[in-house]
Amino acid sequence: MKKPRFVSLIRFAAALFIFPMAAAWGAPAPLVPEAPITSEPPIKKLYFERPSAPSTAPSVSGRRLKISLREAVTLALARNFDITIEAHNPRIREREVVERESVFDSAFTSEVSTEKTRTDTPSSLLASGGQQTSSEQTVSAGIEKKLVTGAEISLVFETVRENSNSRQKTINPDFDSSLTLSISQPLLKNFGVDVNKAEIRVATFSLDQSLLLYRDRVISVIDSVEQAYWDLVFSISNLAFQRKSLELAKDLRRRNRIQVDVGTLAPIEILEAEATVARREEEVIVAERQVKDREDALKKLLNVSDNISSWGLRIIPSDQAQFSPVRVKELTSTMEALKRRADLQNAKIEIEKSQIRLNRDRQNLLPELDLSASASNQGAEKTFGKSIDRESGNKGYTLEGGLSFRLPLGNRSAKAKFDKARLQLQRANSSFARLEQSIIEEVRRSVRRVRTDTKRIEATRLARRLAEERLDSQEKKFKVGLSTSRDVLEDQESVANALTNEVQALVDYNKSVAQLGRATYTTFKRFKIKLGDPRKGVPGEKP
């Protein structure tokens, strides 16, 4: 009789599994104890390619850190904790992709069992009448693997050693060896590459999303640094104005006292000046607290304080709020935002993930129809080596095949999963449309803020010049007795407010430009930032 074609495959597998096992047959493998764990492994620090931007090093003098906006951004890119934390996520998602792919990894299987029985029997075909004794030792080893089509394939070698007192056995003890190739392939439910690789594709998309979120986090940190930097610039300027206002009030109080002493001014004027000095001292105290609060907010973003004592470091911005006109086109800015925004790209990917799940769950509405087939050859002899010879020579073999069908009545589980996936896709589409509208509204609002702050700068500059001229005129009137202390104090306060409003307008303009860059994703271009891959380590650094 002609041997089946699968014999060559079985012989190859026998060379891999059977012959190494045959050498060890008959003697139990010693149990090797695991080495004791003496200490926990150290936690590895994450290194990755941080974003980089061209910049000079900030100037440190004692407890003072003089830093420009560009230097602050560069320092935040190198040290900010939010960026460090977000950089972990792509690596985590990358491991999840590997985890999903591992479903299709090969697996080695093995089993060892032994059995011994002694039973009473009326049979006369026993070496010792009255009781039948038998023992059986089984050893099996093989490989199993799942294919992307949904098929599960296995190749298993098995040897059984049997010993019995039955006279029916012509070989006692005997060794029965077999090598079996089996395959099971779904034909309806769970069939196909798309269904079985759905989770891998979803995990890959999640990895892409984590990279987009990392990019968005970097943009967000840069914007936060800019906002905090300009807030600190304003707070320092506001403190200077408040101190100047306090000095003017004290100077007026001193002059009033002189005039009261010489009798050219009523004593009530001193009380007015005293009250104003007290109020402006309180304003200076509040302004000083605001400067420290803004400093701490910037320190946190830059992560320049490694311990409690280093929080006392003073940050001195070297850049002042300037008016650098920018040309803003609403339509162009909107199109740039819709093209570059990471959150919008993330929403698109979420739609694709939902579509993958929907296609998978739609296919799994089908009933289960599985094709199974197996082929094995077998040999039995009085020694293990001879049984292998007969088995590899294909003295005996078995071929099997079959179909199995299963249809859940109602199929409610599959239908519920499909409906859930369909609703999730609808939700993802609606979320994308909502986000698109939000981005358009955000860009339009940012453009309006830039234009409004541009006009505010012009208006506050004019108001400050007029307030200064009015104060100068009021001082001249006061010297000749044509004005009162109250009038001078009010004009001093008007000048201080006008100066504050001008600086506030300049700061707000720079913050609005930064916010527009955040909305349109032009921040990287503005600072010439090169964004690295957080999954890659820094050259020269050891994890």
Side-chain angles (χ1 to χ4, degrees):
M1 183 176 179
K2 190 175 181 180
K3 299 179 182 179
R5 296 180 179 178
F6 65 86
V7 172
S8 59
L9 174 62
I10 294 178
R11 285 180 174 175
F12 174 74
L16 292 177
F17 300 108
I18 301 173
F19 296 152
M21 292 176 57
W25 178 262
L31 297 177
V32 180
E34 296 183 356
I37 300 176
T38 57
S39 62
E40 294 184 358
I43 298 176
K44 293 183 178 181
K45 186 177 179 181
L46 173 67
Y47 294 90
F48 59 94
E49 289 185 357
R50 285 186 173 272
S52 59
S55 175
T56 58
S59 174
V60 180
S61 176
R63 303 289 292 174
R64 296 163 61 91
L65 174 64
K66 190 173 183 180
I67 189 170
S68 67
L69 175 60
R70 179 173 291 278
E71 291 166 348
V73 169
T74 303
L75 194 60
L77 295 180
R79 297 178 61 88
N80 182 265
F81 277 124
D82 288 341
I83 295 177
T84 302
I85 293 171
E86 194 65 44
H88 284 78
N89 292 329
R91 289 189 168 189
I92 294 173
R93 296 293 177 265
E94 192 174 39
R95 302 309 187 272
E96 289 178 354
V97 173
V98 176
E99 181 183 352
R100 298 294 185 271
E101 292 174 340
S102 66
V103 174
F104 301 104
D105 289 349
S106 300
F108 173 76
T109 63
S110 64
E111 183 178 355
V112 178
S113 64
T114 182
E115 179 182 357
K116 184 175 182 179
T117 61
R118 182 186 295 270
T119 57
D120 292 337
T121 177
S123 174
S124 61
L125 300 177
L126 299 175
S128 57
Q131 285 189 327
Q132 179 178 352
T133 60
S134 63
S135 63
E136 180 179 294
Q137 293 82 40
T138 303
V139 176
S140 66
I143 285 182
E144 58 185 25
K145 180 179 177 61
K146 183 176 181 179
L147 305 181
V148 293
T149 61
E152 294 184 359
I153 186 170
S154 65
L155 182 65
V156 179
F157 166 77
E158 183 179 73
T159 291
V160 180
R161 180 184 183 275
E162 293 182 336
N163 189 8
S164 175
N165 62 350
S166 175
R167 295 178 179 176
Q168 289 182 328
K169 293 180 64 66
T170 58
I171 303 175
N172 192 32
D174 72 287
F175 291 82
D176 190 344
S177 300
S178 64
L179 187 63
T180 303
L181 176 66
S182 302
I183 185 170
S184 176
Q185 172 65 61
L187 300 179
L188 294 177
K189 184 177 181 179
N190 297 322
F191 170 77
V193 175
D194 291 340
V195 173
N196 288 280
K197 296 189 71 174
E199 290 302 320
I200 296 177
R201 294 179 62 194
V202 168
T204 302
F205 279 131
S206 296
L207 171 60
D208 295 338
Q209 286 179 309
S210 68
L211 292 170
L212 289 171
L213 291 175
Y214 170 73
R215 178 184 174 192
D216 189 71
R217 176 62 67 184
V218 174
I219 287 278
S220 178
V221 167
I222 296 172
D223 178 66
S224 297
V225 169
E226 289 191 84
Q227 302 295 326
Y229 188 90
W230 293 124
D231 283 340
L232 178 58
V233 168
F234 170 76
S235 297
I236 293 175
S237 299
N238 180 58
L239 176 59
F241 297 150
Q242 298 298 336
R243 286 174 173 171
K244 181 64 176 178
S245 180
L246 176 60
E247 290 176 4
L248 291 174
K250 288 181 177 180
D251 181 67
L252 181 62
R253 182 183 62 181
R254 180 185 58 81
R255 288 185 291 166
N256 285 356
R257 285 175 176 172
I258 294 174
Q259 292 185 20
V260 168
D261 290 341
V262 299
T264 59
L265 197 66
I268 190 65
E269 299 293 345
I270 296 179
L271 294 177
E272 186 73 30
E274 290 282 4
T276 302
V277 168
R279 178 168 54 83
R280 292 184 182 178
E281 284 178 344
E282 186 264 343
E283 291 173 351
V284 169
I285 293 172
V286 172
E288 288 175 343
R289 185 208 65 196
Q290 188 182 57
V291 169
K292 294 185 181 298
D293 289 345
R294 298 289 171 78
E295 275 188 357
D296 286 349
L298 187 56
K299 289 174 191 175
K300 180 181 177 182
L301 290 169
L302 303 184
N303 188 22
V304 296
S305 302
D306 296 325
N307 50 60
I308 295 178
S309 61
S310 62
W311 278 90
L313 182 70
R314 290 290 308 278
I315 296 183
I316 309 299
S318 60
D319 290 341
Q320 297 303 314
Q322 302 291 336
F323 177 58
S324 300
V326 293
R327 297 182 60 185
V328 179
K329 295 182 179 180
E330 184 177 302
L331 180 59
T332 302
S333 299
T334 302
M335 297 304 295
E336 285 182 347
L338 295 177
K339 179 181 178 181
R340 298 176 179 177
R341 286 283 290 253
D343 49 356
L344 193 63
Q345 296 178 33
N346 183 67
K348 289 181 181 179
I349 293 177
E350 195 63 37
I351 293 175
E352 295 183 16
K353 289 168 60 177
S354 299
Q355 187 65 59
I356 291 172
R357 294 189 179 104
L358 180 65
N359 294 337
R360 176 199 62 192
D361 293 336
R362 177 186 289 113
Q363 201 268 355
N364 284 338
L365 287 172
L366 299 173
E368 296 180 18
L369 178 63
D370 297 341
L371 171 67
S372 60
S374 66
S376 65
N377 53 9
Q378 174 265 345
E381 269 293 348
K382 60 183 178 180
T383 64
F384 175 71
K386 291 182 178 181
S387 70
I388 292 296
D389 290 339
R390 288 188 62 82
E391 180 268 332
S392 60
N394 198 31
K395 300 301 182 180
Y397 63 87
T398 302
L399 298 175
E400 293 183 1
L403 286 172
S404 63
F405 180 81
R406 182 177 182 273
L407 175 62
L409 299 180
N411 204 20
R412 293 197 303 166
S413 176
K415 290 179 180 178
K417 290 180 180 179
F418 174 74
D419 290 339
K420 177 182 175 182
R422 178 172 52 81
L423 293 172
Q424 288 176 335
L425 177 58
Q426 293 175 359
R427 182 181 64 183
N429 281 310
S430 298
S431 298
F432 176 82
R434 181 187 64 179
L435 179 60
E436 194 173 41
Q437 285 189 351
S438 298
I439 290 174
I440 294 173
E441 185 272 336
E442 181 183 354
V443 173
R444 287 170 57 87
R445 176 161 35 88
S446 300
V447 169
R448 281 196 299 269
R449 286 190 59 177
V450 171
R451 291 173 177 172
T452 300
D453 291 337
T454 300
K455 296 177 181 179
R456 282 179 59 203
I457 292 173
E458 298 174 358
T460 54
R461 281 178 174 174
L462 177 60
R464 185 256 306 163
R465 287 197 298 268
L466 293 176
E468 289 174 342
E469 292 175 2
R470 181 180 176 84
L471 176 60
D472 183 64
S473 176
Q474 200 69 256
E475 289 277 4
K476 292 177 180 178
K477 290 181 179 180
F478 181 75
K479 288 179 180 179
V480 297
L482 298 177
S483 179
T484 65
S485 298
R486 178 183 290 272
D487 295 331
V488 174
L489 292 171
E490 288 178 352
D491 287 342
Q492 286 178 355
E493 189 167 354
S494 296
V495 170
N497 291 336
L499 288 168
T500 301
N501 291 338
E502 182 182 4
V503 174
Q504 183 71 73
L506 286 168
V507 166
D508 287 347
Y509 172 78
N510 285 273
K511 291 173 65 177
S512 296
V513 171
Q515 190 172 12
L516 179 61
R518 167 75 176 89
T520 57
Y521 257 57
T522 56
T523 304
F524 289 151
K525 181 179 180 181
R526 187 155 51 94
F527 285 99
K528 298 180 181 179
I529 293 173
K530 182 180 179 182
L531 192 64
D533 189 338
R535 296 173 295 174
K536 297 180 180 179
V538 180
E541 297 282 4
K542 294 183 179 180

